[in-house]
Amino acid sequence: MPGSVSADIQDKRARFNQLQESLATRQSTTHFTHAGVSVIAFMLISGAAGKLFYDSLRTPLLAWGATAIALGLLVYGFRSYRQGRKVLVDELQRYEALLALRRELHLDNPAALLPR
């Protein structure tokens, strides 16, 4: 029986290390950054396109191109945001599992880490 307890602790420790490595780089922040930058670029380009539509007597071709680019950026930003939310849910679940393993392994208790 003592061997199985040690093997169980080693399995938990291996799972803890795996979770820690997977959470070291957060993909959700990358998706949220892409969403934010694309929405800002959308606002700038759509403002320029609006100005082109407002100032010209007949509709310029450049304004339609800028509108298409702006809408493409808005769609990309929305998709990046949704993907970031989905990845964030997974990351939060893995983080909760990491905290549970931390409690089971008594890593927050300094007395448990001392040699016996």
Side-chain angles (χ1 to χ4, degrees), residues 78-95:
F78 180 71
R79 289 180 63 201
S80 294
Y81 178 76
R82 286 184 49 107
Q83 191 171 10
R85 292 284 303 199
K86 188 172 25 172
V87 171
L88 179 64
V89 167
D90 180 53
E91 287 173 351
L92 290 175
Q93 289 172 348
R94 286 185 288 152
Y95 183 67

Side-chain angles (χ1 to χ4, degrees), residues 4-5 24 46 50 55 66 86 96 102-103 111 115:
S4 67
V5 173
S46 63
D55 284 347
K86 188 172 25 172
E96 287 298 322
R102 240 182 121 81
R103 283 189 298 273

